[in-house]
Amino acid sequence: MKFSITRAAERGRKDIGWLKSNFTFSFSSYVNPERNGFGLLRVFNDDFVQPGNGFGIHPHTNMEIISVMLAGSMNHKDTLGYTEVVHQDWVQIMSAGTGMRHEEHNVGDDEVNFLQIWIEPKLQNIAPRYQRQQFPEAKRKNQLTTIVSNEEGQAHCWINQNAKLSLGYYEAPQTVDYRFNPLNKALFLFVISGSIMLDGQTLQARDSMGIWETDHVSLECAADTRFLLIEAPINH
């Protein structure tokens, strides 16, 4: 197994008052030639948005965009006709395809924290699509829950790429074994809270690890640990 760790303090940062962003990979004003994505995972931002503020209408094309809501309430309005509000424990996806425009703002009284994830699509120029799904933490205790995959279904969101995203939440210390087909695949692990030991390395809150050249990992989770695991292609 090979891996690369990005500590929370090593991430790129942007603070414009109403928005505080933490960039694992090059994005916006943060440019790091050594961190231009991980395989087809191109963007992983840990964003904090103040009440009454947000992102005005802007376009996307040919990108799979995933938002994982960790705290607060945020609206979503797009040119497909969707006008939604997503809250903590909700996940929304946009398969931007041939193109769509959207806006999102913090519409609650508390700070919004969400993970903004971009993955390159499998097929270009598909019809754009939006979807959202709720994953209450109370129903995810002590297990790994699939929130996004390439398979259509009622239990999770699906995207135009052979990728899989899973949320883990463990109240007590637990070793989580995760196996996958390593053919053109790699894993990206992000610790939301708590800590995880993997292959002798300890990851604390907001640390991440890219993992490749293996078909399984054993995550030694401390008590009250939350994390996101992304299984995504290395190449098209």
Side-chain angles (χ1 to χ4, degrees):
M1 184 182 92
K2 294 184 178 180
F3 62 83
S4 175
I5 296 175
T6 301
R7 300 295 180 185
E10 297 173 345
R11 298 177 295 176
R13 299 185 184 277
K14 181 177 183 178
D15 185 347
I16 54 175
W18 66 268
L19 171 66
K20 294 178 177 64
S21 294
N22 301 275
F23 307 128
T24 300
F25 308 122
S26 296
F27 189 84
S28 184
S29 57
Y30 172 63
V31 179
N32 185 336
E34 296 181 356
R35 295 180 183 162
N36 286 324
F38 181 63
L40 299 189
L41 173 61
R42 307 305 302 172
V43 171
F44 193 96
N45 299 345
D46 184 7
D47 289 342
F48 296 81
V49 182
Q50 296 304 304
N53 294 277
F55 306 92
I57 190 80
H58 58 280
H60 293 285
T61 57
N62 286 319
M63 191 65 70
E64 303 300 299
I65 300 172
I66 302 154
S67 298
V68 180
M69 291 289 295
L70 301 181
S73 300
M74 186 167 64
N75 82 323
H76 166 91
K77 184 177 181 180
D78 63 37
T79 48
L80 300 179
Y82 290 97
T83 301
E84 312 277 5
V85 175
V86 290
H87 309 280
Q88 180 178 338
D89 294 339
W90 284 81
V91 174
Q92 64 178 9
I93 66 96
M94 292 186 297
S95 287
T98 54
M100 62 186 297
R101 295 164 63 87
H102 81 125
E103 63 181 66
E104 49 195 344
H105 294 83
N106 182 342
V107 294
D109 298 325
D110 302 315
E111 182 180 64
V112 158
N113 176 209
F114 75 107
L115 303 178
Q116 181 182 173
I117 301 159
W118 294 15
I119 298 175
E120 291 187 35
K122 183 177 182 179
L123 301 175
Q124 296 284 309
N125 299 319
I126 67 168
R129 187 176 60 83
Y130 170 84
Q131 185 184 10
R132 67 171 185 166
Q133 186 77 265
Q134 184 182 20
F135 300 91
E137 186 174 78
K139 296 182 179 180
R140 295 188 285 104
K141 289 183 180 180
N142 304 312
Q143 63 181 343
L144 196 59
T145 303
T146 299
I147 59 172
V148 176
S149 85
N150 66 317
E151 298 178 356
E152 297 185 40
Q154 299 297 317
H156 55 260
C157 297
W158 63 277
I159 59 172
N160 169 35
Q161 183 50 270
N162 186 21
K164 182 179 180 181
L165 281 71
S166 304
L167 279 174
Y169 170 39
Y170 293 89
E171 295 178 294
Q174 176 76 33
T175 297
V176 180
D177 292 317
Y178 185 88
R179 295 185 176 274
F180 65 103
N181 185 343
L183 184 63
N184 195 37
K185 283 289 192 69
L187 295 178
F188 179 83
L189 170 65
F190 179 76
V191 181
I192 299 169
S193 64
S195 66
I196 294 175
M197 181 173 286
L198 172 58
D199 201 40
Q201 303 293 321
T202 299
L203 303 178
Q204 304 289 349
R206 262 51 189 196
D207 290 348
S208 62
M209 178 187 279
I211 304 157
W212 66 101
E213 292 191 10
T214 185
D215 62 357
H216 73 279
V217 293
S218 291
L219 312 177
E220 299 178 34
C221 301
D224 199 29
T225 291
R226 297 165 175 83
F227 63 91
L228 176 67
L229 191 61
I230 302 177
E231 177 185 330
I234 299 173
N235 299 297
H236 288 284

